[in-house]
Amino acid sequence: SSMPPAPLTITHSASSSTALLHPFGATLLSFTPSSSRPLLFLSRLARLDGSRPVRGGIPLVFPVFGPAPAAYPGMPQHGFLRQSWWRVVEGSGFDGE
């Protein structure tokens, strides 16, 4: 089996703040301001192999938050976005802001 894609580190060059984005669920795993400790929780039990949603961080949640209502049979908890693989197609820089 192939290895899952690695998380993407994004650095704001003007402030040196960093963010770590996981491609499974496009989950923000960490945010660290330049003069501080990481500000987000990521469980030691988190699996980062795509076998289940990431435990911790900030996931994309759509079209439901929490258990899916009966109108969405088969919809996973918190919707399908957080259980999808994402990739960067195009990037741009706004470090001057």
Side-chain angles (χ1 to χ4, degrees):
S1 76
S2 63
M3 294 291 295
L8 173 68
T9 299
I10 301 167
T11 302
H12 184 255
S13 60
S15 68
S16 298
S17 297
T18 60
L20 186 63
L21 187 66
H22 197 281
F24 190 68
T27 303
L28 181 61
L29 298 178
S30 73
F31 173 72
T32 307
S34 59
S35 61
S36 183
R37 303 181 319 221
L39 299 179
L40 299 177
F41 168 79
L42 183 64
S43 172
R44 287 175 291 183
L45 302 175
R47 291 188 181 171
L48 301 177
D49 61 1
S51 64
R52 60 187 315 152
V54 175
R55 184 174 180 164
I58 301 173
L60 288 181
V61 176
F62 180 84
V64 296
F65 187 83
Y72 297 103
M75 177 72 64
Q77 180 166 307
H78 303 311
F80 62 88
L81 291 186
R82 102 180 179 135
Q83 294 187 28
S84 300
W85 286 99
W86 294 77
R87 64 186 172 91
V88 175
V89 174
E90 182 178 334
S92 60
F94 295 98
D95 277 358
E97 297 178 10

